[in-house]
Amino acid sequence: AQTVTQSQPEMSVQEAETVTLSCTYDTSESNYYLFWYKQPPSRQMILVIRQEAYKQQNATENRFSVNFQKAAKSFSLKISDSQLGDTAMYFCASNKISNFGNEKLTFGTGTRLTIIP
Amino acid sequence: GAVVSQHPSWVICKSGTSVKIECRSLDFQATTMFWYRQFPKQSLMLMATSNEGSKATYEQGVEKDKFLINHASLTLSTLTVTSAHPEDSSFYICSASRVSNQPQHFGDGTRLSIL
């Protein structure tokens, strides 16, 4: 079984600043994926970034990067040069890697991020 | 563009009626689709895994007879909320992956309001 914990229900930051969202997880799987999804007010789920657990190098996507600490089971998201459009709920999620197809996602409780103009 | 289409986006109906929600994979085949439920200001909770050509796998606590799932083709899964009541009001969202072990694409969700 997998569990994902986000301990920051809400955060706010000034536009153009950097913000880090925390996520910890627990899993019995040896190989798995970790994700950050963004859900703006439209409620559409948008993939921000993905990390494969067997890769040591932290994933990056433009202004978004992660700090993956496998031993500590920590997976934080850093947003650099934050923009007003980054205002959204951010969910950390995990699923196992399977040889049999796609596996269900386990989500954290989310962090509501507000970018202040 | 969207790769997973969900319909309808919003439905309001009277208590006791049944409501069907469709989830379609566009330009790819999905042997597995997932159905989630999200209450206001809460996270997504997996309801069931929809498997093409076989029975859905329901999560613990989800009533199979209440939430009927049919995955009759490789591009379509449907969720029917039977005899809906106000407590079934929620945001329902589906997902599917284009390729095995690739990130899931989500539909835009369905807001269900039962009066």
Side-chain angles (χ1 to χ4, degrees):
Chain A
Q2 298 181 318
T3 60
V4 178
T5 303
Q6 293 178 252
S7 59
Q8 304 155 311
E10 294 186 15
M11 294 187 71
S12 60
V13 66
Q14 291 289 137
E15 188 178 6
E17 291 186 349
T18 295
V19 61
T20 299
L21 308 183
S22 301
C23 173
T24 58
Y25 64 93
D26 196 11
T27 181
S28 57
E29 303 296 332
S30 58
N31 211 0
Y32 49 92
Y33 290 114
L34 295 163
F35 306 85
W36 279 98
Y37 279 91
K38 168 185 177 180
Q39 188 180 42
S42 65
R43 305 193 79 170
Q44 184 184 15
M45 292 292 287
I46 302 166
L47 177 66
V48 175
I49 202 164
R50 179 179 81 155
Q51 174 80 41
E52 296 168 63
Y54 59 87
K55 289 188 176 179
Q56 293 184 334
Q57 186 174 7
N58 289 324
T60 62
E61 285 288 344
N62 301 315
R63 297 183 295 108
F64 300 87
S65 62
V66 298
N67 183 2
F68 176 45
Q69 301 290 325
K70 191 172 184 178
K73 295 184 177 177
S74 171
F75 182 62
S76 60
L77 173 70
K78 185 172 81 171
I79 306 174
S80 303
D81 186 26
S82 57
Q83 301 174 359
L84 297 179
D86 296 333
T87 293
M89 279 290 288
Y90 286 81
F91 292 100
C92 181
S94 174
N95 70 354
K96 68 177 183 181
I97 296 176
S98 170
N99 293 326
F100 303 103
N102 302 301
E103 295 291 334
K104 60 186 180 183
L105 285 164
T106 299
F107 286 91
T109 51
T111 296
R112 183 173 301 279
L113 176 64
T114 302
I115 308 301
I116 303 167
Chain B
V3 295
V4 174
S5 173
Q6 192 171 336
H7 177 80
S9 58
W10 197 353
V11 59
I12 303 173
C13 60
K14 293 181 179 179
S15 182
T17 58
S18 293
V19 179
K20 180 184 285 188
I21 303 169
E22 295 185 346
C23 181
R24 293 182 184 274
S25 57
L26 306 178
D27 77 10
F28 72 98
Q29 295 179 336
T31 55
T32 303
M33 291 184 177
F34 300 95
W35 286 98
Y36 298 86
R37 182 174 181 175
Q38 185 180 28
F39 289 107
K41 298 185 178 181
Q42 294 190 23
S43 186
L44 279 72
M45 297 298 295
L46 180 69
M47 298 176 66
T49 302
S50 175
N51 305 299
E52 189 271 334
S54 64
K55 292 182 179 180
T57 305
Y58 289 83
E59 295 299 299
Q60 191 172 10
V62 177
E63 299 177 60
K64 301 178 183 181
D65 296 331
K66 176 74 172 176
F67 299 99
L68 299 179
I69 291 174
N70 188 321
H71 196 152
S73 78
L74 284 169
T75 59
L76 174 64
S77 174
T78 60
L79 167 67
T80 301
V81 184
T82 61
S83 186
H85 291 283
E87 58 267 27
D88 299 323
S89 297
S90 189
F91 187 69
Y92 295 86
I93 190 166
C94 68
S95 72
S97 291
R98 186 188 291 271
V99 177
S100 179
N101 283 321
Q102 289 301 305
Q104 295 176 26
H105 298 280
F106 286 83
D108 287 343
T110 297
R111 184 180 300 178
L112 175 62
S113 298
I114 309 298
L115 303 178

